[in-house]
Amino acid sequence: MAIAWGLARRGRKVAVLDEGDVAHRASRGNFALVWVQSKGHGMSEYALWTMQSSQRWPELAVAIEEETGLDVCFRRPGGLHLLLSEREVESRANALRRLHNQPGMQAFDYQMLNHNAVAKLLPQIGPQVAGASFCPADGDVNALRLLRALHVGFARAGGSYHSNHAVSRIEARAGEFRLHTAAGEIAAGKVVLAAGLGNARLAPMLGLDAPVRPQRGQIIVTEKVAPFMNHIVHTIRQTDEGGVMISDSVEEAGYDPSVGSEVLSIMAERAVRMLPLLARLNVVRCWAALRVMPKDGFPVYDQSDTCAGAFLATCHSGVTLAANHALVLPSLIDAGTLGREDLDAFRARRFHVSPAH
Ligand SMILES: Cc1cc2nc3c(=O)[nH]c(=O)nc-3n(C[C@H](O)[C@H](O)[C@H](O)COP(=O)(O)OP(=O)(O)OC[C@H]3O[C@@H](n4cnc5c(N)ncnc54)[C@H](O)[C@@H]3O)c2cc1C
């Protein structure tokens, strides 16, 4: 929707073909961080792209509010990655050092903090917190409001949204694309595949490749309480509405989106060790959602060599990257430079290297 909104704002005639309410849709089940620290190990371009999106986020939030009247509650108070033992502190410090030592890495500000320094930022931490990494660029947003606002903004910019239009097949012929859906066939001059997990099946129809798999994450939400967190913790955040969200699971469970008390209890136990006052709150909701996880964890942006006018965008961390997707990708799609002059590192051809013998 970020790409669709961005294209519609540029005056393009855009139709979004989507599935119905029953669909795997990470955008309505995520944890809503706009997160910079720790992104990009193995691809320094991704670290830079993430940092740029975080920097563009204030512009996105203002533009959305101006065009829709909806406040998506973006804030950037800085984020803490809390650590529960000296071993975790050492391993985190090493990981961030390795990230920053990569060739081409654009450094971002972060600090490793001991217990007392963390307590100054977040006085509610428990005695078991050994330390944390802190990054002032980290923030969050109200992700459900963001999704709604992008839909509203898209419609106001003249876009047309078609639910219950799952695309089963795409043909490229005579300079146009024919998209087959249960509700009929639709013709378009250009196509952007931004169908999350659905991209894996659709991409090869247009000479593209989107090796993505589902990766489950579970989330706990508590009752609403008065604001008490000055900073965001990478697995615990208090929303603008007062509820506390806890998200700490990364599971390879295929397309199974079920919640399970085994994982939830581990998440709750770690969260209570980090912030003991959470033990007093009632849990009101839990859910699981499927991440759209590319094979190497990094976004895939590409355009087809064989079907001119076909583009692909797929990623994990699409909330963080929404500012880039709304404010940068549309002009690259318009110009036909996506993955050519621009964002070359993110093309799918990185998956096609021959194994070393
Ligand atoms: C538990 C969890 C926590 C997360 N936390 C964060 C976070 O804190 N910060 C962050 O930046 N990111 C986070 N993410 C990731 C983020 O939610 C996703 O990167 C982002 O929502 C992906 O958006 P998308 O539009 O690409 O995919 P989706 O939201 O999955 O949307 C894909 C859409 O394509 C449609 N579709 C699929 N197939 C077809 C078809 N054949 N025809 C038509 N339509 C089709 C689907 O119905 C769906 O509407 C999290 C994800 C999860 C699951």
Side-chain angles (χ1 to χ4, degrees):
M1 286 315 298
I3 296 170
W5 176 67
L7 285 168
R9 290 174 87 220
R10 293 175 64 79
R12 299 290 161 256
K13 194 172 165 205
V14 187
V16 168
L17 308 183
D18 201 356
E19 295 175 297
D21 280 351
V22 181
H24 296 299
R25 188 167 291 135
S27 301
R28 64 180 175 190
N30 63 67
F31 193 55
L33 298 176
V34 176
W35 207 246
V36 171
Q37 64 168 299
S38 69
K39 299 282 178 67
H41 189 239
M43 192 200 256
S44 59
E45 292 89 346
Y46 177 48
L48 177 63
W49 182 238
T50 299
M51 176 55 90
Q52 288 169 338
S53 198
S54 151
Q55 287 163 348
R56 286 187 181 109
W57 244 104
E59 183 189 340
L60 176 65
V62 168
I64 287 178
E65 189 160 5
E66 276 173 7
E67 292 175 32
T68 67
L70 292 166
D71 176 3
V72 297
C73 301
F74 169 68
R75 58 181 190 147
R76 195 162 40 194
L80 289 156
H81 184 119
L82 295 186
L83 303 155
L84 290 172
S85 66
E86 285 308 327
R87 227 173 102 208
E88 284 189 21
V89 172
E90 194 186 325
S91 141
R92 180 78 182 155
N94 285 339
L96 287 171
R97 222 173 286 128
R98 278 199 305 277
L99 174 67
H100 277 83
N101 284 345
Q102 292 181 109
M105 179 71 189
Q106 169 95 22
F108 58 79
D109 281 349
Y110 78 94
Q111 287 169 277
M112 291 302 301
L113 306 177
N114 63 21
H115 176 93
N116 291 343
V118 179
K120 282 195 184 130
L121 296 178
L122 196 58
Q124 300 84 354
I125 56 165
Q128 293 187 32
V129 172
S133 55
F134 175 72
C135 173
D138 291 330
D140 68 359
V141 69
N142 181 322
L144 288 179
R145 190 118 25 100
L146 170 65
L147 183 58
R148 179 174 157 224
L150 289 170
H151 274 271
V152 172
F154 175 65
R156 292 211 178 145
S160 60
Y161 174 77
H162 306 266
S163 65
N164 297 310
H165 275 65
V167 174
S168 52
R169 194 159 55 86
I170 313 176
E171 287 171 277
R173 59 170 132 101
E176 68 170 16
F177 296 95
R178 297 244 150 210
L179 296 105
H180 297 264
T181 80
E185 197 180 298
I186 285 156
K190 285 186 178 178
V191 173
V192 182
L193 298 180
L197 291 167
N199 270 351
R201 194 178 63 82
L202 296 174
M205 297 177 194
L206 298 176
L208 290 158
D209 186 22
V212 288
R213 69 176 191 285
Q215 191 184 65
R216 188 169 66 194
Q218 301 192 41
I219 290 184
I220 300 172
V221 185
T222 74
E223 62 188 312
K224 294 176 176 140
V225 288
F228 68 93
M229 290 180 75
N230 299 334
H231 297 281
I232 304 159
V233 173
H234 79 298
T235 53
I236 307 170
R237 57 181 285 269
Q238 188 173 21
T239 69
D240 55 290
E241 288 150 347
V244 177
M245 292 176 73
I246 300 164
S247 170
D248 203 359
S249 93
V250 174
E251 301 162 68
E252 299 297 336
Y255 278 86
D256 174 5
S258 52
V259 287
S261 54
E262 230 170 89
V263 170
L264 293 176
S265 59
I266 294 169
M267 286 163 55
E269 192 258 348
R270 269 185 78 82
V272 167
R273 284 165 68 199
M274 291 175 179
L275 295 175
L277 60 72
L278 293 179
R280 302 208 299 265
L281 301 185
N282 290 306
V283 169
V284 295
R285 249 189 311 282
C286 301
W287 70 74
L290 303 180
R291 296 181 181 88
V292 180
M293 191 54 72
K295 202 168 164 184
D296 58 3
F298 306 123
V300 187
Y301 306 120
D302 215 338
Q303 60 182 294
S304 177
D305 289 325
T306 49
C307 303
F311 300 84
L312 173 90
T314 203
C315 69
H316 176 56
S317 293
V319 178
T320 305
L321 295 176
N324 283 347
H325 293 170
L327 303 174
V328 180
L329 290 196
S331 59
L332 308 185
I333 289 166
D334 255 354
T337 58
L338 180 66
R340 295 293 182 274
E341 292 129 58
D342 300 288
L343 303 180
D344 178 61
F346 296 101
R347 292 189 69 183
R349 66 174 179 198
R350 68 181 189 266
F351 301 114
H352 306 155
V353 290
S354 330
H357 293 291

